[in-house]
Amino acid sequence: MAELESVPFAVASNLIHRLASPDFLEFGQEYGVMEELEELKNTIESINDKLLDADNKQDQNGGVRVWIRKFKKVLHHADDFLDDLAIEFKRDKLNAAEGKEVNKVLRSISSSNQIPLDSEMPDKIKDILESFNDVLKEMKDLNLSPRLGVVKQTNLEWRETCSFVLESDIIGRDDSKKEIISLLRQSHEKEIVSVIAIVGIGGLGKTALAQLVYNDLEVKKVFETQMWVCVSDNFDVKTILKKILESITGDQVEDKLSLGNLQRKLHQKISGKKYLLVLDDIWNERHDRWAELRKYLMCGAQNSKILVTTRSDNVAKAMTASTSYPLKGLTDEESWSLLKNIAFEDDSKEVNQTLESMGKEIARKCKGVPLAVKTLGGLLRGQTEESEWKNVLRDDFWKLCEEQDSIMPILKLSYHNLSPEMRQCFAYCSLYPKDSRITKNELIQLWMAQGYLEYSAEKHRMDMEDIGNQLVKIFFMNSFFQEAECDKYGEIISFKMHDLMHDLAMLVAGNDCCYLDSKAEKVEGSPMHVSLESGAIHLLNSLDKSRLRTLILPDHCNFDEEVPVANFKYLHVLKISSYYFRKSSDSIEGLKHLKYLAVYFPLNGIPGLGKLYSLQFLPAFIVRSSQETGNAPLNELKDLNQLRGELRIESLELVGNVALESQDVNLKEKKFLKSLTLDWHNEYYDEWPRRDLGIVE
């Protein structure tokens, strides 16, 4: 299958919205470029209307994919340029309001940002407009249609989140659970450790079944130690041993530990103990690799067990499984019960006989695969028109499922039913590694930092955070997300993605989003959003510095390699370890597009932070001592008035005069903050009055 191109729906919509904003109207009047900006807006609108059809057709049309690629290049160049102008224009207005001397934005050339002089402005905008017109001309030859249809799940009500999600994963698995537990309890006198493999196609519920077994109270009594590791397609012995240790301790293990040290630590934890190890989603069919891992696991007590989930019988054979358990699909009745529960919300209500007849046929065609049933149930949720059900029943994707022996065509159908902005949000999720637990608030903040929620929030007159929460709920109801962890009020805290859904996210993201692990040898294409493991740090210098918008670096990394963070001028998101700032003299002042900054283990201050006027999310601000005075100023927070969500100010004991310094924090202008935490590491300072920081009781 050809590599798809991620379509920048939200970027295009936001650019149109920005060009019509009061700030740009004021900018256009002041610099005499109103007509040029209006023409640019109209041109982008005419292209934007047909992007949805382009996304739907690119799978079958290589010419459409090439066109999307060209459009993205032009669009992102224009977005970066106009963002530069907007930032500098706001900065000048801020300085003017404070009575500071102002050098007009266009009178001071910055070679790094290529901001033109007054006289060059119309020509620069015309160049951008000409680029869009070239794209527009090519688009006309592709026979693309204007945007059609509206997503029908927008106003879903969220009910009993956790119970609904969990129940939908366990329907029809009681007998299988009992059989697996019985196998785990069996004794094998000749083997210290025996392997049991759950085998079945993707989406059948192997992982969900393994979780039911793993969390069973009877199983917990049988085994002294339990460990869970998602392996996926990277069967690297050192990596697996590291994950096993992390599963036991709950803490991260340093990447730099040698294989020998990992072996010794593991031996200390499981030696003489009867353990259960789950190796989820195994693809390795080489017996020698399994034999290498197995020798490190032979120190447990007699009758320790390894439970494996895999799609392949060959994997079970390579791992010399004592028992291979072929997982059966749901019965037709169980499939219909699950589909009905999701599609109609309340299965106690009477269902139209015609819809029930078609629904049972749809459920039967899913061949007992729970993920397929749940996905189609979400697609049909709230649909009462018989034509909608008939369209699903007669669609060509059933034939593709047969040909590919996969439910991926069903998942793609659900993806194509998403709104344009939701498609971009879903593709961004491919930055997370498989089986990782995704923190909901962080993901929403990353979406916001990329501008994915701005247009929808304005359109629906809602806060961006509320839009983000609504999207997460819709993703859940359509099975894009699963395994919700909720708080005591039933609100989602975190979740996971099924590995097939993760495959889909990677497919639709194309080369725009890239997760680089230790196996990565090179960077494909010119990605805009990159997340790296420590073993791939050396690939940083291969990235396109003018294109990168997201850079997520590992939290445990000593940065022996050079990390040229300051060179990535257009970053919107940066997650990085404080070790970088301890070893580097780089200032991040030039990263003026940065909207999200998270620093792991923040041990000291960050040079240039106070100049990041566009910053929206700063989870923690660490007070640092001034080398000249020994005091710790708070004024780096003064102009960061776009901060949203939560802010934690730490090490306040270093501040010499809180009452004086707090005047420069300017909290009253930080109107988007929802939570503020003040932290003194010295108990003495806990008695300081909160009013010293300008906080109103």
Side-chain angles (χ1 to χ4, degrees):
M1 186 178 293
E3 191 78 43
L4 299 183
E5 290 290 333
S6 178
V7 180
F9 295 108
V11 177
S13 296
N14 288 341
L15 195 54
I16 295 166
H17 174 68
R18 181 191 294 175
L19 287 167
S21 67
D23 276 350
F24 262 88
L25 291 176
E26 181 183 349
F27 177 86
Q29 290 172 347
E30 182 166 343
Y31 292 102
V33 289
M34 282 290 292
E35 290 185 10
E36 288 84 354
L37 293 177
E38 179 65 21
E39 187 178 355
L40 181 59
K41 179 177 77 70
N42 293 337
T43 303
I44 300 173
E45 277 183 331
S46 63
I47 298 174
N48 191 44
D49 285 341
K50 298 185 179 181
L51 286 181
L52 189 60
D53 193 39
D55 192 25
N56 293 339
K57 290 180 176 176
Q58 65 163 316
D59 212 354
Q60 291 81 35
N61 191 325
V64 173
R65 281 196 301 275
V66 172
W67 177 82
I68 293 173
R69 199 176 302 141
K70 291 180 179 178
F71 169 67
K72 286 196 298 187
K73 185 175 182 180
V74 173
L75 178 71
H76 289 300
H77 173 69
D79 187 48
D80 290 338
F81 174 73
L82 293 176
D83 204 26
D84 274 331
L85 294 184
I87 291 170
E88 296 298 337
F89 190 55
K90 285 182 180 180
R91 183 176 296 182
D92 277 355
K93 289 174 66 176
L94 179 66
N95 289 335
E98 295 180 351
K100 296 179 180 177
E101 183 179 349
V102 176
N103 292 320
K104 288 184 70 179
V105 57
L106 304 180
R107 296 194 185 284
S108 177
I109 294 182
S110 168
S111 59
S112 60
N113 294 317
Q114 298 181 339
I115 297 176
L117 293 166
D118 286 2
S119 59
E120 298 172 344
M121 173 56 63
D123 290 337
K124 179 63 177 176
I125 295 179
K126 285 178 181 177
D127 288 343
I128 292 174
L129 181 59
E130 187 176 333
S131 298
F132 276 112
N133 282 329
D134 290 341
V135 171
L136 187 61
K137 290 175 185 175
E138 291 187 33
M139 184 184 72
K140 292 177 180 177
D141 296 330
L142 298 173
N143 297 317
L144 299 177
S145 303
R147 181 179 299 193
L148 300 173
V150 179
V151 174
K152 300 171 184 175
Q153 305 102 317
T154 305
N155 296 316
L156 286 177
E157 292 186 8
W158 192 234
R159 60 177 181 86
E160 301 176 8
T161 303
C162 288
S163 60
F164 174 83
V165 173
L166 293 176
E167 286 171 9
S168 67
D169 279 336
I170 64 177
I171 287 178
R173 292 306 186 206
D174 286 340
D175 290 343
S176 294
K177 173 185 170 183
K178 291 175 183 177
E179 291 168 2
I180 296 294
I181 291 176
S182 176
L183 291 171
L184 291 176
R185 293 176 64 91
Q186 290 180 3
S187 298
H188 292 272
E189 295 181 1
K190 295 182 179 180
E191 295 178 289
I192 295 177
V193 182
S194 56
V195 178
I196 299 167
I198 302 175
V199 183
I201 65 171
L204 201 56
K206 301 181 295 296
T207 299
L209 174 59
Q211 287 172 335
L212 285 175
V213 171
Y214 187 82
N215 293 319
D216 185 81
L217 292 177
E218 182 183 347
V219 171
K220 291 181 181 295
K221 291 177 182 177
V222 172
F223 297 98
E224 294 178 71
T225 301
Q226 292 181 230
M227 303 156 284
W228 182 290
V229 173
C230 178
V231 180
S232 197
D233 56 352
N234 184 15
F235 198 92
D236 177 73
V237 173
K238 183 178 178 181
T239 300
I240 295 173
L241 290 180
K242 176 177 174 290
K243 289 182 177 180
I244 292 174
L245 274 171
E246 290 174 342
S247 179
I248 297 173
T249 64
D251 298 321
Q252 280 204 295
V253 176
E254 291 184 72
D255 290 321
K256 64 181 182 180
L257 282 181
S258 66
L259 188 60
N261 283 332
L262 288 171
Q263 178 189 5
R264 283 189 288 274
K265 286 181 177 291
L266 181 61
H267 188 274
Q268 292 171 0
K269 296 295 182 183
I270 66 173
S271 180
K273 293 182 180 179
K274 187 177 179 181
Y275 67 77
L276 170 63
L277 169 62
V278 176
L279 296 177
D280 186 36
D281 193 25
I282 299 284
W283 290 79
N284 170 59
E285 296 184 354
R286 286 178 51 181
H287 175 72
D288 57 331
R289 287 190 177 181
W290 159 240
E292 183 184 356
L293 174 62
R294 187 175 183 273
K295 68 183 181 183
Y296 297 115
L297 302 171
M298 297 303 293
C299 57
Q302 191 78 29
N303 292 318
S304 292
K305 295 291 193 297
I306 297 175
L307 183 61
V308 172
T309 69
T310 181
R311 300 183 196 178
S312 168
D313 281 315
N314 291 333
V315 170
K317 292 175 183 176
M319 298 186 73
T320 58
S322 57
T323 304
S324 181
Y325 184 90
L327 185 60
K328 298 176 182 178
L330 302 179
T331 65
D332 289 349
E333 190 59 36
E334 289 167 341
S335 295
W336 165 236
S337 177
L338 178 56
L339 180 71
K340 181 181 177 184
N341 185 39
I342 297 174
F344 294 102
E345 303 185 36
D346 184 358
D347 58 7
S348 65
K349 294 181 181 178
E350 189 173 342
V351 178
N352 174 295
Q353 190 171 355
T354 304
L355 292 185
E356 179 170 349
S357 177
M358 288 191 287
K360 286 184 175 180
E361 180 63 14
I362 290 171
R364 185 190 66 78
K365 290 170 76 72
C366 288
K367 296 187 175 179
V369 180
L371 183 59
V373 177
K374 290 191 292 182
T375 300
L376 291 177
L379 192 68
L380 292 167
R381 184 178 174 86
Q383 304 296 336
T384 56
E385 294 292 330
E386 293 180 7
S387 60
E388 298 283 352
W389 290 68
K390 191 176 294 185
N391 288 339
V392 170
L393 190 57
R394 295 179 177 177
D395 200 286
D396 290 339
F397 69 79
W398 296 111
K399 184 179 179 182
L400 292 174
C401 288
E402 292 281 351
E403 293 173 353
Q404 299 175 16
D405 192 24
S406 167
I407 65 167
M408 185 59 76
I410 294 177
L411 306 188
K412 289 179 71 174
L413 176 69
S414 187
Y415 166 79
H416 284 299
N417 198 54
L418 296 174
S419 71
E421 290 76 16
M422 287 181 68
R423 294 186 188 189
Q424 195 161 10
C425 289
F426 173 67
Y428 193 82
C429 295
S430 63
L431 282 179
Y432 290 90
K434 277 190 177 181
D435 198 52
S436 61
R437 183 153 287 278
I438 301 172
T439 303
K440 183 193 72 171
N441 286 343
E442 179 193 77
L443 178 60
I444 291 174
Q445 290 172 3
L446 296 181
W447 286 341
M448 290 171 62
Q450 298 301 337
Y452 294 166
L453 308 182
E454 192 173 329
Y455 172 73
S456 294
E458 184 71 21
K459 179 180 177 182
H460 296 286
R461 299 183 182 278
M462 295 172 63
D463 289 338
M464 284 189 282
E465 289 90 346
D466 293 336
I467 289 287
N469 276 291
Q470 186 77 350
L471 296 193
V472 168
K473 293 172 183 179
I474 296 173
F475 282 135
F476 256 103
M477 298 310 295
N478 290 276
S479 297
F480 289 94
F481 297 158
Q482 62 180 26
E483 295 184 45
E485 179 186 349
C486 301
D487 62 19
K488 61 182 179 181
Y489 304 107
E491 289 295 319
I492 299 172
I493 300 172
S494 65
F495 46 84
K496 290 187 176 184
M497 295 175 68
H498 190 281
D499 58 344
L500 283 177
M501 283 297 184
H502 191 277
D503 290 342
L504 177 62
M506 292 178 63
L507 175 67
V508 298
N511 285 329
D512 279 0
C513 296
C514 185
Y515 178 80
L516 299 171
D517 59 19
S518 55
K519 292 197 311 177
E521 297 179 357
K522 64 177 182 177
V523 178
E524 298 290 344
S526 298
M528 298 182 65
H529 312 288
V530 175
S531 177
L532 301 98
E533 287 186 0
S534 57
I537 289 292
H538 64 284
L539 295 174
L540 267 174
N541 289 315
S542 304
L543 299 175
D544 187 338
K545 296 177 177 57
S546 65
R547 187 168 162 79
L548 204 65
R549 298 285 185 99
T550 299
L551 181 58
I552 299 175
L553 296 168
D555 50 4
H556 279 75
C557 186
N558 290 330
F559 294 101
D560 294 325
E561 298 275 349
E562 182 183 356
V563 183
V565 169
N567 294 335
F568 298 112
K569 300 292 186 183
Y570 291 102
L571 277 179
H572 286 203
V573 170
L574 176 61
K575 292 182 69 176
I576 191 170
S577 167
S578 66
Y579 288 111
Y580 168 75
F581 295 106
R582 294 171 69 183
K583 290 191 172 184
S584 173
S585 59
D586 277 353
S587 169
I588 60 172
E589 179 179 341
L591 304 182
K592 60 183 179 180
H593 298 268
L594 203 62
K595 293 179 173 64
Y596 181 100
L597 174 63
V599 182
Y600 309 110
F601 315 115
L603 304 176
N604 59 349
I606 302 170
L609 178 65
K611 301 294 185 181
L612 305 181
Y613 302 125
S614 297
L615 201 62
Q616 294 179 357
F617 298 102
L618 180 68
F621 173 78
I622 311 301
V623 174
R624 60 189 177 91
S625 297
S626 167
Q627 292 182 350
E628 293 80 16
T629 65
N631 293 325
L634 298 173
N635 59 4
E636 285 181 308
L637 289 171
K638 181 180 179 181
D639 295 326
L640 306 186
N641 294 330
Q642 300 301 311
L643 290 177
R644 312 178 69 99
E646 301 177 357
L647 172 63
R648 182 182 185 89
I649 304 178
E650 299 185 11
S651 301
L652 280 167
E653 72 277 4
L654 298 176
V655 179
N657 188 329
V658 173
L660 180 62
E661 292 288 346
S662 64
Q663 296 175 14
D664 274 340
V665 177
N666 199 18
L667 283 175
K668 64 182 180 181
E669 293 298 325
K670 294 169 177 49
K671 300 174 183 178
F672 302 113
L673 279 181
K674 293 189 175 180
S675 171
L676 177 64
T677 301
L678 307 176
D679 183 87
W680 285 266
H681 292 301
N682 189 322
E683 292 182 2
Y684 170 80
Y685 296 100
D686 289 346
E687 303 300 320
W688 287 10
R690 297 171 76 236
R691 63 177 179 272
D692 283 350
L693 274 168
I695 302 171
V696 179
E697 293 286 355

